[in-house]
Amino acid sequence: MARYIRFSLNDQIRYGRLSGDTVYPLLGDLFAGREEDGSALPLSDVTLLAPCQPTKLLCVGFNYRDHAEEFDLPVPAKPNVFIKPLSALIGPEQPVLFPKSLAHQVDYEAELVIVIGRRARHVTLEEANHYILGYTVGNDVTARDLQDKTGQWTVCKGFDTFAPIGPWIETAVDPKSGLDISSWVNGQRRQHSNTKHLIFDAPYLVHYLSQAMTLEPGDVIFTGTPSGIGPVNPGDVMEMRIQGIGSLCNPVEAEV
């Protein structure tokens, strides 16, 4: 079991294993082999990036019962799936840009994110865990007023910077055992739940999605948010926390 990061140092982008406050750089790609190069770096010397480079960002809506009830919707019988563009992806501490047009309300959504470890196609439910490298923290940022006006999700959830993930990939947690998940804005808690309340758990989502499309190493699946979503504005700082994984912080800045 390990914790993996993707980082930049001296204009180079690399993967590494994180132990405490020490980074052990990997020789190559995290998903093609995990041999370390023998060096060690202080975590304070590197800049954390989004912990993987997915080919697609898959997302599941209304995957907590209380969130469906928050919108007066029935509990879904099958996962409600949408995709965010890669241009939405950012990492820890990078700013989420408040749109200068189209939308006027931007909401936070704390989410557990699955990171796929190897190519998955037609995976059985029993095999699914073997295709998960680990988990990270996500924020499914949403232009809520645009969603309410159009009823569509691609644009309202697909603005540039609307998919923060990080700070790392944690391989030593089991969401099925129950991990506390919460969101905080300017130090005040806004959401609080537990992953044991997911309607469709991580193995099921990997199984289900792999029936339709090939999941590539590094692909991510946002698993849905609990109730308590709400708006943020430029100048606010969002923090998403998941027990056993860590904390993902992103400031909100006005787009120029």
Side-chain angles (χ1 to χ4, degrees), residues 174-232:
D174 178 11
K176 215 163 187 177
S177 67
L179 308 175
D180 285 338
I181 179 171
S182 60
S183 64
W184 302 71
V185 178
N186 302 329
Q188 296 185 337
R189 192 173 75 182
R190 301 293 179 84
Q191 292 176 284
H192 184 228
S193 189
N194 192 284
T195 57
K196 67 184 178 184
H197 299 310
L198 283 165
I199 298 168
F200 305 106
D201 65 14
Y204 181 83
L205 293 175
V206 172
H207 156 69
Y208 177 80
L209 291 166
S210 75
Q211 308 309 305
M213 64 192 77
T214 302
L215 305 177
E216 300 289 353
D219 282 355
V220 299
I221 304 169
F222 284 68
T223 61
T225 196
S227 64
I229 60 173
V232 289

Side-chain angles (χ1 to χ4, degrees), residues 5-9 12-16 25-28 36-37 39 41 49:
I5 65 171
R6 184 168 157 266
F7 67 93
S8 66
L9 178 66
Q12 289 190 325
I13 296 176
R14 301 185 64 182
Y15 285 98
L26 303 185
L27 283 171
E36 297 173 13
D37 70 3
S39 65
L41 302 167
L49 306 174

